[in-house]
Amino acid sequence: MAEVLVYVDHADGAVRKPTLELLTLARRIGEPVAVALGNGAADTAGVLAEHGAVKVLTHEAAEYADYLVVPKVDALQAAAAQVSPVAVLVPSSAEGKEIAARLALRLGSGILTDAVDLEAGDEGPVATQSVFAAAYTTRSRVSRGTPVITVKPNSAAVEPAPAAGAVEALSVTFSDKARGTQVVSRTPRESTGRPELTEAAIVVSGGRGVNGAENFALIEALADSLGAAVGASRAAVDAGWYPHTNQVGQTGKSVSPQLYIASGISGAIQHRAGMQTSKTIVAVNKDAEAPIFDLVDYGVVGDLFDVVPQLTEEINTRKG
Amino acid sequence: MSLRIVVTVKYVPDATGDRHFADDLTVDRDDVDGLLSELDEYAVEQALQISENSDDDVEITVLTVGPEDAKDALRKALSMGADKAIHVEDDDLHGTDAIGTSLVLAKAIEKAGYDLVLCGMASTDGVMGVVPALLAERLGVPQVTLLSEVAVQDGTVTGRRDGDAASEQLQASLPAVVSVTDQSGEARYPSFKGIMAAKKKPVQSWDLSDLDLEADEVGLAGAWTKVEAATERPARSAGTIVKDEGEGGKQLAAFLASQKFI
Ligand SMILES: Cc1cc2nc3c(=O)[nH]c(=O)nc-3n(C[C@H](O)[C@H](O)[C@H](O)COP(=O)(O)OP(=O)(O)OC[C@H]3O[C@@H](n4cnc5c(N)ncnc54)[C@H](O)[C@@H]3O)c2cc1C
Ligand SMILES: Cc1cc2nc3c(=O)[nH]c(=O)nc-3n(C[C@H](O)[C@H](O)[C@H](O)COP(=O)(O)OP(=O)(O)OC[C@H]3O[C@@H](n4cnc5c(N)ncnc54)[C@H](O)[C@@H]3O)c2cc1C
């Protein structure tokens, strides 16, 4: 059967959820062959096998951490040469898209980014994309070369599908460009203990209406009552109330959770671009005319300083 | 020493307008005003700051690939303070995909001559965020992308890339391709003087033959991707909206419970 390369996003061997979602989609097209690179690569094999990887190609080298993007492109190119896949799937992170683009160019292939769904088609895989701030849905395919497609988090369910997951060492020769951009130092982000924003099933966001960094405690308390990630509008981020890594929208993260709760957010097009594909949308805003109410399944017109604490308390009570 | 900066800027349909697809499934440019992609203003701004902080003789060229009206984007960048502009325009470019766009841009950058290419983090219409990486691959120079802070000194570019898991300090030798995020610093507004001066700044027009490119390497026909269908997303069905009369939080909790979120 045809093989599909899946690029594994992991941290020291811990596989991130979007990669497991890619395995679900890859199985619709062929047999997933995973490629795991860098420190802890071999440790990924167990969970990848449980989710359908027939093979796991691994390679560890310091270059993957010490230089930007290109070493990973070299490795994927080597994997593609070895496997001759029918498609290459990469998680749609900022880095994932850069890796995918350079790989596509080297393979002489077209590239599609930010797919939200994928299915097999007569002329190769067909990707669904959500464009123009989710006002349009397109169906596209790659018409030349081996399709290289990046897929957004939360685009498919994680499904157990036990497979062999045989680990094979990938042989990689780095190109002369691999060491072009040096990572001089790296400061890891402090973990908040909350779910990853792009992967979370529930996202609770605050905007300008939250009116101050200290008031974000209200948003965090609501998030914690639901086991949710915390998001923020650009207005809140620009005001310095919440970190940019939590920004939702066109120039922040694009999220697609089961539930999105927006408090004190007006619903500007650039914010909607990052959350409009959420399954259920809820808003709290004191302005009944706020555009966010056009999107909601449930909205409360009111002061968030009254509504949000009451909601949090009620959830905690109901949970017992 | 001199430093030649080429800033790539895209002309896009206004995101706050009602954007549509044309019958051939390319972007409908007739119904919506176009403008310089706001995220590329940050790249122009950083080019200007690099120039202001440099002892070198810095020349800033802004480059766009786009239709006739894309000149507006160039004018805006010139009025912010760039020195000259190049407009690659050709009917055969209609419908070019990302791989094709990067080919045309790379050819034009090479023809113009460069030490540093500065790009935005993503366009506001395609939003792929791949063109800077593609340019680095094509030009065979280091990719130093998604920087929220950038500096150029003694032939070296350094900057900070804020990723999901970590914040990284990057370094590479020139020539290089850099992209900057909207965290890199507010872009300046063109001054009246800048707007007047821009009218006299040179704008060169190149077509495909100027770049030794054939029509079938670009455009819809030369694209390596194909849009098969574009459908307008149905409006979300109207939700329930309640006014808080003191029980709003509880009502919302009841809704969340009914949807099995609690
Ligand atoms: C190129 C570009 C990229 C952008 N990228 C992003 C992006 O990634 N993400 C993003 O979010 N924005 C982005 N923006 C900015 C966007 O246009 C808006 O300015 C921003 O989303 C507004 O944030 P807000 O809704 O929090 O603030 P506002 O629009 O000011 O809305 C605040 C809302 O809070 C309500 N409110 C105030 N007080 C209360 C209260 N006590 N209780 C309840 N409600 C209250 C008000 O009624 C109002 O509706 C971008 C803009 C540009 C030009
Ligand atoms: C809704 C939509 C979806 C699309 N999806 C795909 C797809 O999946 N695959 C595909 O191959 N093509 C796609 N395209 C076409 C693609 O957007 C264009 O070819 C485009 O020129 C390059 O991609 P981008 O705009 O996303 O650029 P990005 O990679 O987001 O742009 C990054 C930076 O590159 C520079 N830049 C980009 N384009 C130009 C330009 N024309 N002139 C000067 N500088 C520029 C700017 O500095 C910009 O900030 C899509 C277009 C649209 C409108």
Side-chain angles (χ1 to χ4, degrees):
Chain A
M1 194 179 175
E3 295 180 309
V4 179
L5 273 192
V6 172
Y7 175 80
V8 177
D9 186 10
H10 70 99
D12 297 329
V15 178
R16 296 203 173 92
K17 187 167 145 254
T19 301
L20 303 180
E21 297 164 4
L22 282 194
L23 290 173
T24 299
L25 295 176
R27 286 188 288 113
R28 295 184 189 163
I29 305 166
E31 291 190 321
V33 174
V35 182
L37 306 171
N39 191 31
D43 300 340
T44 63
V47 69
L48 296 172
E50 282 165 35
H51 295 88
V54 295
K55 236 187 286 178
V56 182
L57 307 177
T58 65
H59 187 242
E60 296 198 19
E63 276 81 354
Y64 297 117
D66 293 350
Y67 300 92
L68 195 69
V69 174
V70 187
K72 293 168 182 162
V73 182
D74 289 346
L76 268 183
Q77 188 181 15
Q82 184 180 322
V83 172
S84 302
V86 289
V88 182
L89 306 185
V90 180
S92 256
S93 61
E95 185 192 41
K97 291 202 274 188
E98 295 183 331
I99 294 170
R102 297 185 72 141
L103 177 72
L105 190 50
R106 289 189 190 180
L107 298 180
S109 302
I111 175 167
L112 300 171
T113 53
D114 295 321
V116 294
D117 200 5
L118 203 59
E119 58 198 47
D122 294 342
E123 298 171 278
V126 178
T128 304
Q129 292 162 297
S130 179
V131 304
F132 290 159
Y136 271 86
T137 304
T138 58
R139 287 167 56 82
S140 311
R141 62 185 176 81
V142 169
S143 50
R144 183 181 139 157
T146 307
V148 178
I149 302 172
T150 78
V151 181
K152 280 195 180 186
N154 280 340
S155 294
V158 173
E159 291 168 1
V167 178
E168 263 179 47
L170 178 67
S171 149
V172 181
T173 314
F174 290 120
S175 64
D176 57 349
K177 305 292 182 218
R179 297 175 187 85
T181 305
Q182 201 188 342
V183 180
V184 183
S185 66
R186 175 178 286 115
T187 318
R189 277 197 195 296
E190 276 176 45
S191 167
T192 59
R194 296 195 180 90
E196 187 65 40
L197 186 54
T198 52
E199 301 169 14
I202 303 180
V203 174
V204 175
S205 291
R208 199 194 306 274
V210 174
N211 198 26
E214 62 289 356
N215 299 338
F216 257 88
L218 290 181
I219 302 296
E220 289 180 336
L222 174 57
D224 292 343
S225 75
L226 291 163
V230 176
S233 73
R234 177 155 129 179
V237 169
D238 283 354
W241 302 340
Y242 223 68
H244 180 253
T245 32
N246 296 71
Q247 183 176 314
V248 172
Q250 190 188 331
T251 52
K253 301 279 156 52
S254 168
V255 302
S256 199
Q258 296 297 317
L259 171 64
Y260 188 86
I261 304 182
S263 298
I265 293 177
S266 62
I269 183 86
Q270 295 91 351
H271 187 79
R272 285 178 2 211
M275 48 67 73
Q276 196 155 358
T277 54
S278 305
K279 306 289 175 304
T280 299
I281 298 175
V282 165
V284 179
N285 195 305
K286 66 180 183 190
D287 175 9
E289 303 295 313
I292 191 83
F293 285 126
D294 297 342
L295 304 181
V296 301
D297 297 285
Y298 198 90
V300 179
V301 181
D303 191 325
L304 72 90
F305 292 97
D306 299 328
V307 178
V308 170
Q310 189 181 64
L311 171 61
T312 308
E313 198 189 316
E314 182 69 15
I315 292 169
N316 287 331
T317 312
R318 281 175 185 253
K319 283 197 307 193
Chain B
M1 280 240 309
S2 76
L3 180 69
R4 295 162 301 167
I5 304 180
V6 176
V7 188
T8 58
V9 298
K10 190 176 185 188
Y11 178 75
V12 297
D14 186 349
T16 58
D18 211 1
R19 294 176 294 180
H20 291 287
F21 284 91
D23 291 341
D24 66 353
L25 301 181
T26 64
V27 178
D28 182 349
R29 294 179 181 271
D30 293 338
D31 286 350
V32 188
D33 287 341
L35 43 74
L36 166 62
S37 176
E38 278 158 303
L39 294 173
D40 292 342
E41 291 182 18
Y42 295 91
V44 176
E45 176 62 34
Q46 288 310 310
L48 294 169
Q49 289 192 21
I50 288 167
S51 169
E52 285 156 8
N53 295 332
S54 172
D55 303 328
D56 295 341
D57 186 9
V58 180
E59 183 186 57
I60 303 172
T61 305
V62 287
L63 165 66
T64 197
V65 173
E68 164 91 54
D69 292 343
K71 282 205 174 49
D72 293 352
L74 295 174
R75 282 283 166 226
K76 170 97 187 257
L78 290 172
S79 64
M80 287 173 73
D83 300 306
K84 58 191 182 90
I86 297 169
H87 184 187
V88 181
E89 187 196 357
D90 198 305
D91 288 346
D92 290 325
L93 282 167
H94 178 78
T96 307
D97 67 0
I99 296 276
T101 301
S102 71
L103 173 66
V104 179
L105 283 170
K107 287 272 188 188
I109 290 165
E110 276 172 332
K111 185 174 158 101
Y114 72 101
D115 301 299
L116 174 65
V117 178
L118 257 173
C119 310
M121 64 187 285
S123 70
T124 58
D125 60 347
V127 214
M128 295 177 72
V130 299
V131 167
L134 288 169
L135 289 178
E137 179 72 31
R138 289 205 185 264
L139 297 168
V141 302
Q143 161 191 342
V144 199
T145 46
L146 298 171
L147 302 184
S148 43
E149 237 172 58
V150 59
V152 174
Q153 206 165 26
D154 303 329
T156 301
V157 51
T158 53
R160 197 182 77 233
R161 173 171 162 123
D162 293 326
D164 288 343
S167 179
E168 296 166 331
Q169 203 63 41
L170 304 181
Q171 181 177 318
S173 304
L174 295 183
V177 175
V178 167
S179 75
V180 296
T181 72
D182 64 334
Q183 299 294 300
S184 58
E186 260 327 288
R188 69 194 64 187
Y189 286 105
S191 64
F192 179 69
K193 212 173 122 211
I195 293 169
M196 296 315 288
K199 297 192 168 130
K200 298 193 201 80
K201 289 178 179 172
V203 180
Q204 280 189 63
S205 279
W206 292 346
D207 62 13
L208 287 177
S209 65
D210 291 317
L211 300 176
D212 295 323
L213 288 169
E214 302 292 332
D216 61 6
E217 294 178 82
V218 296
L220 262 187
W224 298 359
T225 51
K226 189 172 186 329
V227 181
E228 307 216 302
T231 40
E232 208 160 350
R233 193 184 164 85
R236 292 184 77 106
S237 50
T240 309
I241 297 185
V242 300
K243 192 166 171 353
D244 179 32
E245 312 274 7
E247 298 282 301
K250 288 188 181 158
Q251 288 168 283
L252 186 43
F255 170 76
L256 295 181
S258 76
Q259 301 293 308
K260 308 266 183 295
F261 288 116
I262 308 176

